[in-house]
């Protein structure tokens, strides 16, 4: 019997070691698997590469991971705190030269992650052409427009948040919680989902599944689950 | 003539002026900050489909206090509501909509707009500052129309409509129209062309505050 | 008020002229908007380019379009009749040199259509590398694998079949009826959907919409509709 | 020794032999024709997730007569059922699953398999014939493992396991294992290696019918 449910968050995070490349879902605080990230911060890891849209934000477990020196490099589009928040941890580390940043336009980030999942090793996009973020990248005119060659972005682990899950790992998302969780689920060697509702196999309508279970390796049910 | 005499539209007046030009049926993305205000001036009976890059089509107004759905925010991380007819997409599909030219319009803030449509709105290029781009480059490159909604000059009086951008570029040849406190200006193959001037502002005053030649509608 | 419903199939097909490039959804007979294709065959058109996975099949309205000489070129992956059927019209025309064929691997076809909708003008794929179907195409090693450069595939019109539709053009599909209809909806200038259920605006859950209305220009409700 | 003496496995025996090697939990695509039979020999209690390239994950057995759902067919256009846990995806996502290496296994028919894993199974290259490829090239290039399920020799006795394919290629270095009526053979960096021989077939008989050297498991 296929059963991707794991009993707790420790089991969900099993095998994540120093130097790992980890995708973390969410946009802003919505769809970020906070319980997984918080627990990750307790593991005393070093040298992580984190791929997460809002990696510089002041909310969730990422600032804690950064403060503790777990993160070597961040790949993201918006490494900045929400307006009005205190100066974010990321900014301090970045200014001090203690963390590396690969800044990627948000849509290119999403598409590079999708490409990794879909077996497209590289693609041309008009986004960023002629800007500082395309410096050093291959460009060419395609259909009369200047385009940049971008490459698929893979990870060893993806930590994502879902709404429903069954034992095959089929997932649904709730409202904008879908965001980066959907493409990231397909782009990692080991995809770990924090889900809010446990469903029996067959309970989720086949047309309603957003992430088929084959993309998912482990599911842990959130403590708030009904 | 002192700057104090040239007032033009207020910030809400600018948003209202831009909103007046958005017809029913358009799919529209509004950038963070001033552009977000534009939605307030599109009456509910004029059906405009507001897109948010985190995966929403059909955003409605902000929720009443205490009624926010924790699973519904916009790209500015503010709570939102959904209109009947709304739909949700994932992040790669949301930017497929943007990059694929399916937005009729994107309204963005701007540091500078050049006469060839080049847009600079993501970085001041200050050394040491943390760079952050979000979806600005995708929106600038992808939407069918890009309107810049911004003050006509900087705080210290320098033109923001220029011949060539000095700030780092967001997108090449992107902006199709500029709404400022002083005027509405199209970006054409021939350069900036004035569409509308705020009440009480003269063409000469406008040209004096613009870093590139202005054509008139005729 | 946005209202993409049109009263009948004639109104749905309005503006399709000689020489048009038309995508037609479906895989096998499922998800093919038969009523639209049948009506298209009555229009006496010439010089059409048809993009459809099973363009050579013996079912649906496509053979009729071919018999009447409406089609100049077909872009597809499997121009062959179902086993046991009579020799298909396509085969006769092709053997006689009366119709042009661009044969594309099925996944590359789907991805080229998706790329057109998603603003990706070109991409590298390992599919087809080193085969006859990659002859004349640019290739390169990406991540240690030989890849082929493929380009986005656009159309002026897409004729698709949906399950539910509302007046904004939001669509759902039923089971495998989703197939090519989903990517094709995004890749055409004018997307025309034949839907089986008419829904009030707001009746389809926002999480359940598969094709957001912005991709759809016209919706006609099938005569079998409940 | 005449060919008539070398019988090996029947067609259903070949399918059964391949099915025995598919463990629980794999996501598997079965090609049209003989490979489709493999599903019949995977017991329902061994959970294998069958994928069909038209967008199904979790295919079940064929429906009872008169109970076919018109919206459910497989890639061979036959009516199917869904198992509990099934899901539906669109065409670009379905081939993203294939090309992205998410299938544990694809079982395909073959005209020829070369000792370097090259696969030829889509075209005989006959001039004038209508070429048709379907998803064969995507499956050949994308799945983690590609098993060719085919007769060991052609009807007129020519080997189908060869040094280099003569037919047009489907995918380069694709096949990882071959199941024939005579043997199970791995494709390794050193070439073909025999894993299992059908009852009553000798190694010498097998080698005589194979167009490239066979290594033994040891």
């Amino acid at each position: 019997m296929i059963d991707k449910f794991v009993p707790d968050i420790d089991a969900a995070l099993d095998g994540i070691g120093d130097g790992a490349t980890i995708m973390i879902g969410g946009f802003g605080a919505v769809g970020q698997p906070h319980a997984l990230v918080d627990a990750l911060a307790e593991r005393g890891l070093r040298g992580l590469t984190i791929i997460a849209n809002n990696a510089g934000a002041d909310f969730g477990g990422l600032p804690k991971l950064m403060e503790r020196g777990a993160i070597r490099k961040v790949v993201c589009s918006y490494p900045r705190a929400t307006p009005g928040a205190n100066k974010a941890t990321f900014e301090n580390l970045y200014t001090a030269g203690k963390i590396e940043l690969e800044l990627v336009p948000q849509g290119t980030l999403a598409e590079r992650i999708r490409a990794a999942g879909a077996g497209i090793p590289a693609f041309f996009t008009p986004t960023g052409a002629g800007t500082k973020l395309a410096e050093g990248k291959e460009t060419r005119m395609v259909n009369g427009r200047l385009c940049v060659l971008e490459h698929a972005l893979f990870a060893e682990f993806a930590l994502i948040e879902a709404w429903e899950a069954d034992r095959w790992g089929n997932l649904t998302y709730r409202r904008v919680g879908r965001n980066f969780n959907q493409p990231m689920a397909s782009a990692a060697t080991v995809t770990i989902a924090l889900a809010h509702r446990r469903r029996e196999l067959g309970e989720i309508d086949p047309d309603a599944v957003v992430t088929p279970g084959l993309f998912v390796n482990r599911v842990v049910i959130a403590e708030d689950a009904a | 003539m002192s700057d104090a005499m040239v007032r033009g539209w207020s910030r809400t007046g600018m948003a209202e002026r831009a909103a007046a030009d958005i017809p029913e049926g358009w799919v529209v993305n509004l950038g963070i900050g001033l552009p977000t205000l534009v939605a307030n001036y599109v009456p509910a009976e004029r059906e405009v489909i507001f897109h948010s890059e985190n995966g929403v089509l059909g955003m409605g107004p902000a929720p009443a206090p205490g009624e926010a759905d924790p699973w519904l925010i916009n790209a500015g991380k503010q709570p939102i509501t959904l209109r009947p007819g709304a739909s949700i997409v994932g992040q790669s599909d949301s930017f497929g909509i943007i990059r694929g030219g399916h937005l009729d319009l994107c309204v963005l803030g701007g540091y500078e707009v050049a006469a060839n449509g080049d847009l600079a709105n993501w970085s001041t290029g200050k050394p040491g500052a943390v760079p952050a781009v979000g979806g600005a480059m995708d929106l600038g490159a992808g939407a069918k129309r890009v309107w810049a909604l911004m003050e006509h000059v900087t705080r210290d009086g320098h033109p923001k409509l220029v011949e060539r951008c000095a700030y780092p570029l967001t997108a090449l040849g992107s902006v199709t129209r500029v709404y400022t406190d002083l005027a509405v200006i199209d970006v054409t193959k021939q350069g900036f062309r004035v569409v509308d001037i705020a009440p009480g502002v003269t063409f000469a005053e406008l040209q004096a505050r613009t870093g590139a030649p202005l054509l008139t509608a005729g």
Side-chain angles (χ1 to χ4, degrees), chain A, chain B:
Chain A
M1 199 176 86
I2 300 168
D3 188 359
K4 297 185 176 175
F5 287 117
V6 295
D8 54 36
I9 283 179
D10 250 17
L13 297 179
D14 189 46
I16 304 184
D18 290 347
T21 297
I22 307 173
M23 291 179 175
I24 298 176
F27 175 90
V30 179
Q32 196 180 115
H34 296 296
L36 295 177
V37 182
D38 287 347
L40 193 68
E42 302 304 322
R43 297 205 150 204
L45 296 168
R46 285 286 174 276
L48 303 179
T49 294
I50 298 290
I51 300 166
N53 189 60
N54 299 89
D58 50 303
F59 47 76
L62 275 173
K64 213 186 294 173
L65 263 174
M66 289 186 198
E67 279 163 22
R68 298 183 179 180
I71 304 182
R72 184 185 70 78
K73 180 181 175 182
V74 150
V75 182
C76 71
S77 84
Y78 205 78
R80 202 171 277 172
T82 37
N86 290 331
K87 199 173 179 185
T89 313
F90 175 80
E91 197 171 338
N92 294 327
L93 290 169
Y94 179 78
T95 311
K98 290 185 177 161
I99 200 163
E100 194 182 329
L101 169 67
E102 180 180 345
L103 191 70
V104 184
Q106 193 172 335
T108 298
L109 182 63
E111 189 67 10
R112 289 178 61 193
I113 295 167
R114 189 260 175 200
I120 300 296
F123 59 88
F124 285 100
T125 172
T127 298
T131 76
K132 237 171 103 174
L133 295 190
E135 276 172 18
K137 293 187 173 173
E138 177 178 337
T139 59
R140 74 164 73 173
M141 298 296 288
V142 192
N143 298 345
R145 277 194 84 176
L146 186 65
C147 289
V148 186
L149 185 68
E150 296 282 357
H151 287 80
L153 187 62
F154 294 88
E156 290 162 83
F157 297 92
L159 308 185
I160 65 169
E161 183 178 51
W163 179 242
E164 302 168 293
D166 65 27
R167 67 175 171 82
W168 278 16
N170 291 309
L171 305 180
T172 70
Y173 303 97
R174 194 166 170 85
R175 300 298 188 231
V176 300
R178 192 181 306 191
N179 58 56
F180 276 96
N181 290 302
Q182 181 187 17
M184 284 179 176
S186 73
T189 310
V190 179
T191 292
I192 302 161
L194 178 75
H196 292 268
R197 295 290 182 274
R198 181 188 183 117
R199 301 294 187 222
E200 291 306 312
L201 199 69
E203 219 181 323
I204 308 175
D205 186 300
D207 288 344
V209 172
V210 177
T211 292
L214 83 163
F215 291 121
V216 179
N217 301 82
R218 303 173 195 159
V219 180
V220 60
I221 298 294
E223 294 201 343
D224 65 351
Chain B
M1 179 183 310
S2 84
D3 277 347
M5 293 178 61
V6 181
R7 290 199 185 273
W9 288 301
S10 65
R11 283 172 63 83
T12 53
M14 290 162 64
E16 192 172 359
R17 180 66 190 77
D21 290 342
I22 301 176
E24 180 158 89
W26 274 16
V27 182
V28 178
N29 182 293
L30 301 175
I32 297 173
L34 182 54
T36 303
L37 296 183
V38 170
N40 300 344
Y41 299 96
V42 175
E45 64 274 15
R46 194 199 305 160
E47 291 190 338
V48 170
I49 299 175
F50 288 107
H51 168 262
S52 181
E53 53 264 49
N54 57 326
V56 189
L57 289 154
M59 269 194 297
E67 290 184 10
D69 177 338
W71 295 93
L72 281 175
I73 61 169
N74 63 14
K77 287 103 183 174
Q78 302 160 314
I80 56 163
T81 57
L82 298 181
R83 286 184 69 142
S87 56
I88 300 291
V89 294
Q91 204 60 29
S92 43
D93 291 331
S94 183
F95 279 86
I97 287 169
I98 293 171
R99 203 179 34 234
H102 304 287
L103 296 181
D104 295 290
L105 171 65
C106 175
V107 185
L108 292 170
Y111 296 149
E112 286 176 325
V113 173
N116 65 355
D118 285 358
L119 171 67
N121 79 343
W122 74 281
S123 165
T124 57
K126 274 186 207 147
V130 177
V133 66
M137 288 187 179
D138 308 278
L139 288 160
K144 278 184 210 163
R145 299 169 189 83
V146 174
W147 293 355
L149 183 62
M150 62 186 198
E151 306 293 327
H152 204 86
V153 297
T154 63
R155 282 186 192 176
D156 49 4
H158 293 296
K160 298 177 72 171
L161 288 88
V162 295
E163 278 291 357
R164 284 282 172 276
C165 294
Y167 285 123
L169 291 182
T170 304
L172 304 178
S174 157
V175 177
T176 53
R177 183 174 268 198
V178 187
Y179 290 82
T180 75
D181 50 325
L182 303 186
V184 179
I185 293 170
D186 271 347
V187 178
T188 73
K189 281 183 185 167
Q190 290 76 40
F192 292 128
R193 185 162 57 199
V194 179
V195 173
D196 194 6
I197 303 189
V201 179
T202 69
F203 183 84
E205 287 166 342
L206 190 66
Q207 180 64 79
R209 285 159 183 79
T210 306
L214 293 172
L215 307 169
T216 50

